[in-house]
Every structure is written in structure tokens, then in C-alpha cells.
Amino acid sequence: MNNNFSKKYGPYFYILPSMVFLSLIFVFPMIQNLVKSFYRTSFDGGKSVFYGFNNYIFLLTKDFLTRAAAWHNVKLLMLIPMLLVLSIFFSVILSGKIRGAKIYQTFMFAPYIISIVVVGVVFSRMLRFDGIINLMLTKIGLGMLAKDWFGRTQYALYAIIVVILWRELPFGIILFSAGIRNIDESIYEAAKIDGANWLQTVFHITIPQLKGIINFYVIYNIMMVFAWMFTYVFVMTKGGPGNSTTILELQIYNLAFKKYQVGMASALSILLFITIFIFIYFQFRFRTSLLEER
Amino acid sequence: MKLNFRGIPAHIILIIFSVIALFPFYFMTVTAFKTNNEYYENLYAPPEDWTVENFGVLIEKHKFFRGFLNSAIVTIASIGLTIIVSVFASYAYSKMDFKGRKFILSLTVSLSSIPIMIVIIPIFALMSKLKLLDTYAGVSIVYASFMLPFSIFFLTGFFNSIPNELLNAASIDGCSRFQTLFRIIMPLSRPIITALVIVNSLWVWNDLLIAMMFLRLDRMRTIAVSLHLVGGRYALNPVLIQAGAFFVAVPMVIVFLVGQRYFTRGLLAGALKE
Amino acid sequence: MKKFLLFFIVPLVIVSFAGALLFASDKEEAEPEAMSKEEPVELVFWWYGEEDAPGLSKYIDALCDAYTSKNPNVTIARSHHSAAETVPDFMAATEVQSGPDIATLWGGVTQFEQVWLGNVAPISDYVSDEEMSHWTGRSFATYDGKVWASDMAGNMFVMVYYKDHFRDAGLDPEKPPVTWKEFMNACEKLKRAGHAPFVLGFKGWGPDAWSFLFVYQSMTSAELMEMITGKSSWTDPDAMWSFTKAKEMKDKGYFHPAAASLELGESWQEWRAGGGTITYLPMMSAITWIDELGRDKVGIMNLPTLTNEPIDYQVLMPYSYFITGWSPHKELAADFLKFWHSQEAMNLMVDMLNASFIPPDDRLDMSRIKDPLKKQMAESMDAGFKRGMWMTSSLMPFAVMDEGYLPAVQLLVAGDLTPKEAAQMTEDATARWREMNPEALEKFKIWSQGIK
């Protein structure tokens, strides 16, 4: 009897501590936000006025800034294929029996150690119109590629994407190098006997074998793109020039802390959460491997 | 001929990218040892006269040692808490069968997509009611909770790759579930936990928003906050800022170099493999 | 049974926390304590400014110690906040209605929004009118007949230039331009001599400084506020002046070539490195850098004027300190704020901060300031306080800046908008703010009546 009980309900005790923390930090505040999203704060003494769905309606139909921000977040999703391709590329090179692979790997991890604030300062310096990058481009005869990266609306978001790529790549490289090293050597031997060339082994053996990690990495990056980009944007452009790099997080921050529209900030965060939940839900639904036991 | 792309072209690509990866690090290091005047005269070259004056200012005026100590306490406490809680949870999600497992896990994972700034004020109110503001315990709980979704996600993937046969064998030997966790799972996952510790501590160490709001007294400031206060609104003392950044980065470089052996092997050990 | 457990445990956790919280919030907030000279009291004091004025923390310590030595039962717990965090931290405090007794926010609309939200107690209820009449910043902090803040000092920008650049361009380094016409001529000559005439960044919140500099050329504080309340429009020719000027200077190439990709701080560093001739610096950096570079190398000029009358004042952003609405020690807090205006405290500030920071009070003994450079700055700051010249971002709600003025100027400098379109963009943002904040608009109108 006792044994049966523990078998049935034991697992819940294992997850209970995490549930406590998560309710404390996420669930409870999100419930509060859900309530707040139906109110607006009145400047007449700070009363909360019931506002129905008006916050949502405003955000979804009228607020051009939120629309722009959402679009920029969608554009940031292009980071995911870039990160995937580059990190697989580098980890494939690094795990070939290249001399000094370990040293290269250590060097390539450097970006991940520096705080984003410092990264922002240094890259702002390098990417400015008379900065070292444009100087080098001009020197090697690519002067037409020297643009005002942070000064023009067309380029600012891409400049930010490059910086994010630079800083987030190491995590992917380490992840995939480890994965590749774990692939059974005999599979490669078999391919060798079949006469497969290098490219074929990469596409037919390495990448399929990495499916689990790829899956993990994609989900991780989706969350990163929607919820962990604030510091990059805040440090480098604060949404400018001309709102061309505003993202949803910045929008939430400005609404909550600068414009005192807490109700609207809450509504936006609820919308954001629902969007990401859908993303992740589909990831889990169609690629259940991560959750399934082998 | 396992992956034979390793000739000169590979080296060229790797060298170029290493230089790109290291450049800001280099910039930070050389600037940290310059004087203000030298910074404005030569920006990228190493200083002609190396000076450690900046570090003296940081330690004396900006109390960087105190900040270092606070950061260390908060980082260790919160990481410890995260690891304990997430190991238990991931063990259950990965190796036990119970009703609602998938649903709770996907909900948990998507929680990490909630932007910090929108939940931070309710959390602040909560911590204030629990009288945990300006305490190491309070801020560690907040940090740990923010790291949990990712950590659980990460560890669950790894635990999935541990063959069930191992667990069954242990169970036949008379190990309870709890004992299995400590006798079988933990020894196997030491590397992956090192990896998790490094990734998480990098985040806690460099975080500003939470540290700033939950540790408000000057003597409780973390080192990242001290650095932020050095920089100020317009970041007009670049030399001091880069020296501070260098100061902040050094402990993490050490943590990384020490943990690196484990770190690479940690994910190597079959993590997240299908 | 299993199902039951699933649907039981998860909500149970949530509900128990919600319950714990509700229970906690039912408890009474701390009862206001009766003012008593004997009982030990702790005042919580949030301050900001070390990053603008290095050394301020020492002054704050000395100030608090001086007060404690006069009132042994009072201890003052200090907490230093950075520019980026003052607002979020204060909002967190308002959420729980506890925390600081004396707090700080940017003077002007940022602080008044808190007044209107009911989180601030008026100082004038606790301090006599006679005492208040000496506070030169009070007109700005007055709303509905009451004074809501005391200014510790003002933040101010000064225009500086390199004298040797002037020489290169054949300009008299001792006679900087006074009128706009002369200013533009000087820029032209500097450009020909190969110097970037004017360095000011437009990235991030850069256009902020541009607005301090130039919006007031064509209007007063009161007129600026009329545009916020909708009495007049940004597209009026006078109001458009700061946009047309930005366009003109850009087209003529008077800005630094990287102006659009520099933040304010970066552009000032560029000036410090010699990358341009004229810039508009925060006072503290100006003093430090002028001393580093050598006083004979750098000149200080007044803002160019549209009329023939030279401009001998500066626009300011006050460091506003106020008593929080929830403070149980309001009288004591007011007494502490009043103490800042005592002769002892004012002299302390002038001496300790080397006169790089001065209190806005007409009883200040200017003769204590010996250094001519600092005296010049102190006087123009004093004139700014007396004339009531406030930085535009103290008068414009954040939404107007964030959705209107900042992006409009950035796009203008990038060449994507004409001045007319930029003005229209700002006008639209202002109209949206009015529509979304009807209560704030009413209060803003009442406040604007007191501003010259």
C-alpha cells in the first residue's frame, strides 16, 4: 500500500519545490498581470479604472509602436537559422581532428563571458559611422559597404542582429561540439566504406544525429528572441533611430516604467506569453522526442 | 577521415573568428590599463605605460571588493538552490511517469519566455511582504526561480539520455528512487551540472535589473551594480568602466577555464541526444 | 484519482500563495508614529547624482552626519540609485507603498506624474512660506498652490569649444559667436578648416540634448507647454524651428559625420578626443575636462541667440527630492529637506563639491566661489533657476519624447523626414498622449498655469 502510494504520488513531491518557486515568481505575478490588464491607472490619485478589453483592442488595432515592435521581434527570428548554421559549421570544423581545436574553442567562448553592457559599448564604438569596421571596409576597397549602421533605420536592426549573433554563438558551438563528439565513430566508418565524401557525412550523419540538440537549441532561441533581447537593444540603440529597433520587451518596459500604462504593459505581456506558448506548444507537439523517453 | 575539413582553410576561418571573438575582450583589457589621456590619444593600441591606478579607484571609491563578495554570495546561493530544485524536478519529468507530466513541463519551459520587467514589480511586492528585500536569501530565491525553467529544460533533456536499463538495474539491487538519484544519476551528470553552473552563473554575475531592485542598500550592492554606477548615465569615464568590466570578467574567466574541461565533456556525455 | 491530484496540486500551490499574500496585505501598514524628539527615528533617503557629480556621495554623507549631530535621535539610511533605475525602483516602492521617506526623480513631469498618482506629499504643508520664498526652484515644483519638491541642485549643460580650432579657422578664440548668424558663419569656417564644427550625438536619447539647446530659442517654457496641452501645434513655424535648424545644419555638413550613430556620451568623448570643435556638455564633465585639457585651450560660450540679446542663463533639469505620500515621518523629512537650505548645508555643498554643484537658493553666498570658471557657471545656473528655464524633457511627458520628438529628430538627421514631417510626427505623438491620458492632461494644464 505504502509502496503504491509513493509510486503514484511520489513524482509530485519531486516537482513540488520547483512548482513552489515557479508559482512564486511567474504564475502569481502573471495572474496579477492578467487582472491588471483589464484596468487602467488614472492619474487622478492613482485609482484603477476598469477598462474591459480596451487595452487589448488598443494594442492589437491602434498601437503602431507595438505592431512595429512585434515585427522587429519576428525579424529577430532570423537569428535562429543563422545561429544554427554557424554553430553547426564551427563545431563540425572544431571536431575534425584539427590542431589546437581546444584553444580555438576557448577563444570562441570569450564573447559569452563579457556582460552585454560592455559588449554594447564596444560594438557601438566599432560600428559607428567613422568606426573601425567601416574604416577597414574602405581600406580593402569595399567602401560602398560602409554604412551608418546604427544611424539609419534600414541597417540598425541588422547591426543589432550581428552583435547578438556574435555573443550568442559560443553557447551553440559548445553545445554542438559536445554533441558531435558523442556520435558513434562506427557510423562514420560505415559511411567511409560506402565512399561518402565529407559534405555527405555532414548532411547524412552528423546533422540527423544532432536532431535532439537542434530541437533543444531552436526552442531555447525562440525564448531568447522574445524574452532576453532587452539589454542588447537598450544598451545599443534604445529603440532608435526612429523606432526602427523597438522590440516588445522595450515596449513593455517603456509602457510600465516610463509611460505609467501598467495595464497596457500587462496586456502586452499576456499577449506575448500566449504567442510564445503557442510556439513552444507546436514545437513539443510535432517534435515530441524531447519529452519522450527513449 | 572523420570530418576531414581541417586543412589550412579551416585554420584561416578559425583564426579570423577567434580574432573577432576576442577583439572586445582585448579592447577591454588594454583600456583597463590606460590613463584617461592615453585613451583619447590611442584608442585600440596597447598602452605605452601600463597603469593599475584604475583598479585602485574602483576598490577604494567604488567598493568593488565588497561588491565582489556580495556577488559571490548571491551567485553561489542562487546557483546551489537552482541546481538542487531542478535536479529533483528534471528527474521526475524524465524518469517517472505521472499524470500531467507533459503539460506541466511545457508550461514550465514556456515560463522562461516571460520578460523579467513585467513580473518584477509583483515579485517585488511579494518579497516586500515576506520581508525578504535587501537580504541575500530574497534575491537568491528570485534569481533561482528565474533560472529554473531553463535549467529544468536543460537537465530533463540530459536525463532522458541516461538509459533506463541502468535505473532498472539499480532498482533490482534494492535502491529506492531517491537513492538511485544519488547513486546513479548524480555521478553521471556531474559534467552537465558544471555546464549548467557556468551558464547560469554568467547570467547572475552580470545581471543588473534584479540586483538593483532587490538589494537597495549601498553595502549590499553586487559588483555588476557597482560597475553600472561607475558608468553612470553618459558613460563618460571609459577607462574606469573598462577597468571595472575587466574586474567583473576575471572571476568568470577563471570559473570558465576551471570548468571548461567538464563543460565540454558535460554536453558531450550524450546530453540531449535522442 | 490521479487526475484529481493533478488538478489539485497545481492550483493548491497557487492558491496558497495568493492566500498568503492576501492575508499579508490585510495587515495594517505601519502606523504613523507620533513626532517625538526623543524616540529614535530612521529616515530612509534615496538619492541620485554621484554619476553626474563625482564626489556627491561624500557630500551626502557629510550632510546626513551634520543633520544627525543636530538631531541625535534621527539616523538617515542612504540608498544610491542610478539614472536608469530611479524610476523602476520608485515604482516598485509605490507598489508596496513603503520604502523611502525622501525619494528623488527627475524634476518636472516625471515627478508630477507621481504627484498626480498620489504618491507624493507636499512640502509646503510642513515648511513655512517665508522659508520657501528663498527656494529659487519652487515655481517649477508648484502645482495647485502647493510646493511638491525641493531641488538639491540643477543639472545643466554648457557650450564649450576648442580655441585652437577657432584659430585654425581664422576666428577670434576669445570672442565666440553670439547670434545664430555668427554661429553658422563660424561653423562654415570651421568646416572649411577641416574640423567637424559641432559634435552632438543623436543615437539613443541624443535628441534630448538637442531639444534643450534649441527648442527654447523660439519659445518659452509656457509656450512649450501649450503645445503639449494642444493650445498650439508643433507644426507652427516657430515651434518647428528646432527641426528646421537640425535639417539646415545637417545639410550644410556642420554636424560630426557620425552624429547619427553616436550617443550623447559617445559624442562628448569624441569632442574630448578632439574630433570636433563645439559641443554641449553637462557641467560636471565640462569642468573636469576643461581642467584636464588646460583652461587656456577651451572656451565657454553662451547659447547663440536669435535676437540681439545674448543669452546669459542655462536651461536646467532640477534634482528634485520629495516626501513620499506613505512616509510616517513627513514632518521630519520636511525638516531634513529644509536643512539643505540652511547656511551650514549650503556652504558644505559649495566647499565639498568645489562649487561644481550649487544649491538653488537666493541666500547662497556666491562670494565663497573663488574660481572664475565655476563662478561663471554658478551664475548662469542661478539665472536659469530664477528665469525658470527647464530642460524640455522636464516638461514633455515621456510618450511625447519617445514616440514623437526623439524618433522625429533621428529620422530628420538620417535624412528620412523633412522638418514638416518631423513636426507632424511629434504633433501626432502629443495628440495620442492627450487622448490616452485625459486625467493627466487636466492636471498638466493646471500645472502649466504656474510656469512662465
Side-chain angles (χ1 to χ4, degrees):
Chain A
M1 170 63 209
N2 194 16
N3 202 11
N4 197 19
F5 177 85
S6 100
K7 190 158 183 135
K8 240 181 184 173
Y9 307 120
Y12 294 105
F13 288 101
Y14 283 83
I15 62 167
L16 190 67
S18 71
M19 299 306 292
V20 171
F21 282 110
L22 294 174
S23 336
L24 201 74
I25 297 301
F26 292 105
V27 181
F28 174 71
M30 282 313 270
I31 292 170
Q32 274 201 344
N33 279 336
L34 186 66
V35 175
K36 275 188 200 156
S37 70
F38 296 107
Y39 287 85
R40 61 184 279 270
T41 315
S42 155
F43 276 102
D44 200 1
K47 291 188 292 278
S48 285
V49 183
F50 187 70
Y51 209 39
F53 278 96
N54 286 348
N55 283 328
Y56 291 94
I57 293 167
F58 180 84
L59 286 171
L60 290 172
T61 60
K62 281 197 201 150
D63 191 12
F64 76 98
L65 257 185
T66 301
R67 205 175 315 148
W71 174 234
H72 296 145
N73 269 102
V74 170
K75 274 191 173 171
L76 284 178
L77 284 175
M78 75 169 76
L79 270 167
I80 297 177
M82 288 156 105
L83 279 168
L84 255 182
V85 169
L86 280 177
S87 48
I88 292 180
F89 174 73
F90 280 112
S91 40
V92 165
I93 296 184
L94 283 171
S95 48
K97 283 161 191 148
I98 193 159
R99 215 176 296 158
K102 225 177 185 163
I103 295 167
Y104 286 127
Q105 203 169 330
T106 312
F107 285 167
M108 284 186 163
F109 197 77
Y112 211 66
I113 295 179
I114 314 179
S115 92
I116 300 174
V117 179
V118 177
V119 171
V121 170
V122 177
F123 270 93
S124 292
R125 170 102 229 167
M126 286 162 64
L127 282 167
R128 57 190 250 196
F129 188 56
D130 55 354
I132 192 167
I133 288 177
N134 282 348
L135 214 69
M136 279 178 174
L137 284 173
T138 318
K139 267 206 182 130
I140 57 170
L142 292 169
M144 73 280 193
L145 284 180
K147 305 285 188 201
D148 200 351
W149 300 108
F150 282 129
R152 297 300 302 268
T153 49
Q154 301 94 303
Y155 312 122
L157 193 67
Y158 299 102
I160 289 182
I161 285 179
V162 168
V163 179
I164 298 172
L165 195 63
W166 175 85
R167 162 135 166 138
E168 298 291 338
L169 196 57
F171 182 66
I173 293 178
I174 298 270
L175 204 63
F176 285 109
S177 326
I180 288 174
R181 244 172 287 165
N182 197 44
I183 296 171
D184 204 338
E185 192 83 17
S186 60
I187 307 178
Y188 288 105
E189 296 302 323
K192 193 177 165 189
I193 290 160
D194 289 349
N197 64 24
W198 177 75
L199 216 60
Q200 279 169 329
T201 53
V202 170
F203 278 100
H204 292 126
I205 298 171
T206 314
I207 292 176
Q209 287 285 323
L210 292 173
K211 228 168 84 188
I213 304 183
I214 293 175
N215 192 14
F216 167 85
Y217 196 56
V218 167
I219 297 180
Y220 167 75
N221 279 323
I222 289 174
M223 297 185 306
M224 188 190 78
V225 162
F226 281 99
W228 300 92
M229 298 280 98
F230 176 76
T231 323
Y232 289 108
V233 172
F234 195 74
V235 169
M236 285 186 283
T237 64
K238 297 191 173 61
N243 297 326
S244 64
T245 55
T246 315
I247 54 167
L248 289 170
E249 279 174 278
L250 185 67
Q251 185 63 359
I252 291 174
Y253 176 87
N254 281 341
L255 282 170
F257 293 134
K258 297 288 183 125
K259 300 179 187 168
Y260 301 101
Q261 303 274 4
V262 178
M264 205 166 285
S266 302
L268 184 51
S269 70
I270 297 284
L271 290 175
L272 181 61
F273 177 71
I274 292 172
T275 315
I276 296 171
F277 185 72
I278 291 170
F279 258 105
I280 295 198
Y281 179 75
F282 276 104
Q283 274 287 328
F284 277 177
R285 221 191 132 113
F286 293 119
R287 298 166 169 270
T288 46
S289 59
L290 197 79
L291 294 173
E292 295 300 341
E293 281 164 46
R294 305 198 298 161
Chain B
M1 71 145 247
K2 178 184 183 182
L3 314 184
N4 67 356
F5 187 65
R6 59 169 185 255
I8 302 292
H11 275 290
I12 290 173
I13 291 174
L14 287 173
I15 287 169
I16 291 174
F17 272 81
S18 299
V19 168
I20 295 173
L22 281 174
F23 186 78
F25 215 93
Y26 161 81
F27 181 76
M28 179 176 87
T29 312
V30 295
T31 311
F33 293 97
K34 278 179 190 171
T35 60
N36 238 325
N37 275 327
E38 191 164 2
Y39 173 80
Y40 291 116
E41 279 152 25
N42 77 55
L43 189 62
Y44 294 114
E48 277 160 29
D49 301 312
W50 294 71
T51 168
V52 289
E53 202 181 301
N54 296 322
F55 296 100
V57 175
L58 290 174
I59 291 164
E60 230 164 78
K61 203 168 146 239
H62 297 279
K63 305 187 179 74
F64 260 49
F65 271 140
R66 178 79 217 189
F68 173 83
L69 204 66
N70 289 334
S71 275
I73 293 171
V74 168
T75 308
I76 292 168
S78 59
I79 302 276
L81 196 60
T82 313
I83 299 295
I84 294 168
V85 172
S86 57
V87 161
F88 277 110
S90 309
Y91 180 43
Y93 286 129
S94 165
K95 294 293 170 208
M96 297 176 201
D97 197 24
F98 55 94
K99 193 79 192 162
R101 182 173 66 104
K102 252 191 207 178
F103 177 76
I104 304 176
L105 181 57
S106 21
L107 200 66
T108 304
V109 172
S110 36
L111 283 180
S112 68
S113 65
I114 296 173
I116 293 183
M117 51 277 219
I118 195 63
V119 284
I120 196 144
I121 290 199
I123 298 171
F124 181 88
L126 182 82
M127 287 293 160
S128 157
K129 296 231 165 81
L130 300 173
K131 301 262 178 275
L132 284 173
L133 289 179
D134 298 324
T135 60
Y136 295 124
V139 81
S140 303
I141 290 172
V142 176
Y143 276 131
S145 315
F146 272 109
M147 289 182 288
L148 268 180
F150 169 73
S151 306
I152 292 176
F153 182 35
F154 196 72
L155 283 180
T156 306
F158 171 77
F159 289 167
N160 277 342
S161 73
I162 296 176
N164 285 337
E165 295 80 46
L166 268 175
L167 305 192
N168 293 339
S171 154
I172 289 162
D173 286 349
C175 277
S176 72
R177 251 198 310 229
F178 196 69
Q179 285 165 329
T180 314
L181 178 59
F182 283 93
R183 298 226 178 119
I184 310 287
I185 309 253
M186 288 304 272
L188 274 176
S189 46
R190 236 178 12 209
I192 192 87
I193 288 174
T194 317
L196 195 57
V197 166
I198 290 178
V199 172
N200 280 342
S201 47
L202 280 169
W203 179 70
V204 176
W205 191 262
N206 288 324
D207 172 79
L208 263 183
L209 191 63
I210 295 173
M212 203 116 210
M213 203 173 270
F214 289 85
L215 296 175
R216 296 170 303 176
L217 296 178
D218 290 350
R219 63 168 195 281
M220 302 287 284
R221 296 296 195 198
T222 64
I223 196 166
V225 176
S226 306
L227 174 61
H228 176 72
L229 290 171
V230 170
R233 192 151 36 143
Y234 301 117
L236 285 181
N237 41 1
V239 170
L240 209 55
I241 292 168
Q242 297 296 340
F246 183 78
F247 199 116
V248 173
V250 163
M252 284 298 112
V253 173
I254 294 169
V255 167
F256 172 71
L257 289 179
V258 170
Q260 193 197 17
R261 265 174 55 116
Y262 272 125
F263 189 92
T264 39
R265 248 199 291 146
L267 298 140
L268 166 145
L272 315 165
K273 214 183 124 192
E274 262 178 299
Chain C
M1 187 62 194
K2 277 188 197 165
K3 211 171 202 171
F4 165 70
L5 224 101
L6 166 68
F7 287 103
F8 185 67
I9 286 193
V10 179
L12 183 79
V13 173
I14 297 162
V15 167
S16 59
F17 274 103
L21 271 164
L22 284 176
F23 182 72
S25 64
D26 276 348
K27 275 192 249 160
E28 280 291 299
E29 294 293 330
E31 284 284 316
E33 285 167 37
M35 258 286 280
S36 148
K37 284 279 170 200
E38 289 78 37
E39 261 178 71
V41 184
E42 191 185 61
L43 275 183
V44 180
F45 170 35
W46 283 12
W47 63 279
Y48 158 77
E50 172 73 28
E51 56 191 270
D52 284 358
L56 188 64
S57 66
K58 288 211 182 83
Y59 163 71
I60 297 275
D61 288 346
L63 181 75
C64 294
D65 291 346
Y67 187 77
T68 307
S69 69
K70 281 211 162 63
N71 305 273
N73 61 324
V74 184
T75 49
I76 295 160
R78 290 153 312 231
S79 170
H80 178 196
H81 292 254
S82 77
E85 304 293 328
T86 45
V87 179
D89 287 358
F90 186 73
M91 283 189 71
T94 64
E95 185 75 15
V96 295
Q97 291 285 307
S98 74
D101 298 296
I102 297 168
T104 179
L105 285 173
W106 312 130
V109 71
T110 315
Q111 192 228 333
F112 272 111
E113 278 166 337
Q114 290 300 335
V115 172
W116 302 332
L117 287 168
N119 296 321
V120 180
I123 298 175
S124 51
D125 282 6
Y126 306 96
V127 176
S128 70
D129 289 349
E130 199 282 320
E131 167 69 27
M132 284 252 148
S133 67
H134 296 290
W135 299 10
T136 46
R138 76 185 177 286
S139 71
F140 188 54
T142 305
Y143 163 77
D144 204 15
K146 287 181 175 171
V147 180
W148 299 82
S150 161
D151 303 319
M152 177 186 273
N155 188 12
M156 140 185 142
F157 287 54
V158 290
M159 221 171 191
V160 291
Y161 62 93
Y162 280 117
K163 288 184 179 169
D164 50 350
H165 288 195
F166 266 47
R167 258 175 234 121
D168 292 347
L171 293 159
D172 183 351
E174 304 309 323
K175 272 196 195 142
V178 175
T179 65
W180 262 105
K181 222 176 140 211
E182 288 166 16
F183 181 80
M184 296 298 266
N185 282 338
C187 284
E188 185 62 37
K189 284 184 183 157
L190 285 163
K191 190 182 131 192
R192 293 232 181 93
H195 295 293
F198 187 74
V199 209
L200 196 68
F202 288 94
K203 200 178 89 171
W205 289 327
D208 217 17
W210 176 257
S211 73
F212 308 156
L213 234 186
F214 294 108
V215 165
Y216 285 125
Q217 293 292 326
S218 53
M219 64 179 104
T220 62
S221 300
E223 282 165 346
L224 177 64
M225 289 175 99
E226 280 178 5
M227 298 199 295
I228 310 289
T229 56
K231 248 187 180 169
S232 54
S233 161
W234 284 98
T235 51
D236 296 345
D238 271 357
M240 265 176 58
W241 197 84
S242 79
F243 298 114
T244 41
K245 207 74 206 170
K247 177 82 176 151
E248 189 190 343
M249 287 183 72
K250 180 199 149 55
D251 288 348
K252 291 189 171 159
Y254 296 164
F255 287 140
H256 188 275
S261 49
L262 295 176
E263 278 201 26
L264 277 182
E266 291 170 323
S267 65
W268 294 329
Q269 287 177 31
E270 181 65 18
W271 178 83
R272 172 66 179 73
T277 307
I278 306 172
T279 193
Y280 193 45
L281 277 178
M283 184 174 81
M284 284 307 305
S285 319
I287 292 174
T288 321
W289 286 354
I290 289 172
D291 282 337
E292 275 176 25
L293 289 161
R295 292 209 171 176
D296 50 329
K297 297 258 163 44
V298 181
I300 296 182
M301 60 189 274
N302 291 322
L303 298 187
T305 171
L306 269 180
T307 58
N308 284 324
E309 239 173 276
I311 296 175
D312 57 356
Y313 55 84
Q314 298 292 349
V315 292
L316 316 149
M317 178 183 269
Y319 290 81
S320 285
Y321 287 79
F322 53 88
I323 307 167
T324 53
W326 56 78
S327 166
H329 313 294
K330 293 196 182 71
E331 267 179 55
L332 202 58
D335 192 54
F336 181 55
L337 289 175
K338 194 176 123 190
F339 176 70
W340 298 6
H341 289 266
S342 70
Q343 211 63 50
E344 181 191 353
M346 288 197 289
N347 292 345
L348 199 63
M349 179 181 251
V350 171
D351 295 347
M352 286 197 71
L353 290 168
N354 233 338
S356 50
F357 235 38
I358 60 150
D361 191 297
D362 62 7
R363 289 165 295 187
L364 175 71
D365 182 7
M366 282 281 189
S367 64
R368 284 184 89 84
I369 307 171
K370 297 284 184 301
D371 188 332
L373 175 75
K374 287 172 180 166
K375 192 161 187 130
Q376 183 190 352
M377 290 199 189
E379 273 165 1
S380 58
M381 182 186 274
D382 197 43
F385 264 115
K386 283 181 180 144
R387 287 181 70 113
M389 297 310 290
W390 315 113
M391 286 180 184
T392 40
S393 47
S394 313
L395 299 170
M396 283 151 81
F398 182 76
V400 176
M401 280 311 253
D402 180 54
E403 295 169 24
Y405 196 86
L406 298 183
V409 172
Q410 283 168 349
L411 291 174
L412 189 72
V413 171
D416 296 341
L417 288 185
T418 64
K420 182 98 189 151
E421 287 164 341
Q424 189 60 47
M425 188 173 172
T426 315
E427 180 63 25
D428 292 346
T430 316
R432 234 179 358 258
W433 176 79
R434 285 196 292 263
E435 187 194 329
M436 285 177 63
N437 300 280
E439 297 93 353
L441 177 63
E442 286 314 305
K443 309 247 165 185
F444 193 91
K445 280 181 183 161
I446 298 172
W447 178 42
S448 71
Q449 284 159 9
I451 305 279
K452 281 172 274 180

